[in-house]
Amino acid sequence: MLGPQHLALAAPPFGHVPLLDRLAPARAAGFDAIALMPGDVWTLEAQGMSAAEIAGRIADHGLAISEVDCTACWLPAQQALEPTDDMGRLVRSLTPERVIETAARVGARSVTAVEMSRVAVDPDAAAEAFAAMCDFAAPHGIKVHIEFLPTGGIPDLASAWRIVKAANRPNGGLTVDSWHLFRSGSTLDQLAAIPGERIHTVQINDAPETPQADLWQELMTGRLLPGQGSFDLTGLIRTLDAIGSTAPIAVEVFSTALATQPTAEAMRALAQAGAAIIRQARTTA
């Protein structure tokens, strides 16, 4: 069982690296778990590898699967969009049924739900859709968690938590990403009011004190390693510990500079920075 003492590697920043090529450097860097994207599994299955073999290769490297990231077409407003480009077609393919079934095949513990199409989100419709997704995932023993984005239709912690509460499903919860949390204006006091068992995944990263004018650009290219920016990451980790979060902590850094480094070097930098900030947060005076 993964818990808050385990360090996970987020998948999307390494999407350009084939999954099997990520495993050895991730373990060597010190990660206990690795997140997958649905496409990681689909690509290998298309090449003739079974889901069981994919899961076995990951386990052979001493890694657990922390989550599958993500389903991005779970809201009625998302499903009503007609894709006009490759990104739109990709998003449209990330349906709850397809992603959850993929997660079940490889034995993942949870699935992320995001809204990055910038659609208007009706809270009641979103709660109903989220409840249905949780119900579909429950027989597989899979948790589902909303990751709010300040650039999307579920822009902050309060908005995401409102949907999760209204859905009222035991396997429904939240992803807390430090960039999304602090850049959205959400607070640690708000987080402290949420039951720890509803935090299903955590992602840490950092950023300068002054946001870029284009938040999407910063989100995708301008994040910093934990401890290199202005975010109160020690406060975040202490708050999560105080509310009893049992989620593993992943490091997720979208960075143009990091993307130019060799994979092993980049992963080592992520693991070292993540582990250092966690130690700092949990060191008592």
Side-chain angles (χ1 to χ4, degrees):
M1 292 288 291
L2 291 174
Q5 74 276 20
H6 294 114
L7 191 66
L9 176 68
F14 291 93
H16 60 289
V17 180
L19 173 60
L20 299 182
D21 293 342
R22 293 179 224 155
L23 304 181
R27 188 57 180 158
F31 288 104
D32 304 299
I34 188 168
L36 306 181
M37 294 177 292
D40 292 330
V41 180
W42 298 339
T43 296
L44 290 173
E45 287 180 328
Q47 295 170 0
M49 185 176 288
S50 71
E53 186 177 356
I54 296 167
R57 293 285 291 274
I58 294 169
D60 287 345
H61 283 81
L63 294 165
I65 302 172
S66 56
E67 64 181 292
V68 172
D69 185 2
C70 62
T71 173
C73 190
W74 58 281
L75 292 161
Q78 293 170 330
Q79 295 164 354
L81 294 175
E82 288 295 333
T84 59
D85 55 18
D86 288 344
M87 176 57 74
R89 284 183 282 274
L90 172 62
V91 168
R92 189 67 182 84
S93 74
L94 297 173
T95 62
E97 295 80 9
R98 194 176 182 207
V99 174
I100 290 168
E101 287 170 351
T102 301
R105 288 199 299 275
V106 295
R109 62 185 285 280
S110 68
V111 166
T112 308
V114 302
E115 198 308 286
M116 57 184 179
S117 299
R118 306 186 187 189
V119 298
V121 175
D122 174 82
D124 293 334
E128 184 177 347
F130 187 68
M133 185 161 44
C134 291
D135 290 344
F136 188 83
H140 301 290
I142 291 174
K143 299 179 180 180
V144 185
H145 30 91
I146 295 176
E147 181 173 3
F148 58 92
L149 280 68
T151 57
I154 305 174
D156 51 33
L157 178 61
S159 301
W161 178 230
R162 189 178 304 118
I163 294 167
V164 172
K165 282 201 302 181
N168 194 29
R169 293 299 189 270
N171 62 330
L174 298 167
T175 291
V176 175
D177 178 301
S178 58
W179 191 92
H180 303 323
L181 181 80
F182 293 113
R183 283 296 192 241
S184 69
S186 302
T187 68
L188 295 181
D189 286 342
Q190 289 176 314
L191 179 60
I194 296 173
E197 65 268 18
R198 291 307 190 100
I199 309 301
H200 291 339
T201 59
V202 175
Q203 298 168 351
I204 60 172
N205 43 68
D206 220 326
E209 183 173 0
T210 302
Q212 294 182 15
D214 185 338
L215 274 186
W216 179 258
Q217 183 73 12
E218 180 179 296
L219 185 160
M220 296 304 298
T221 66
R223 302 197 216 184
L224 302 175
L225 292 173
Q228 290 187 346
S230 64
F231 293 162
D232 183 7
L233 296 180
T234 57
L236 170 59
I237 293 165
R238 288 169 182 168
T239 301
L240 290 165
D241 288 349
I243 63 177
S245 169
T246 60
I249 299 178
V251 187
E252 181 180 67
V253 179
F254 288 93
S255 162
T256 300
L258 204 66
T260 64
Q261 297 180 9
T263 299
E265 182 180 329
M267 289 185 180
R268 189 162 52 248
L270 290 171
Q272 290 174 350
I277 207 74
I278 293 168
R279 280 196 305 270
Q280 181 180 332
R282 292 175 174 163
T283 298
T284 56

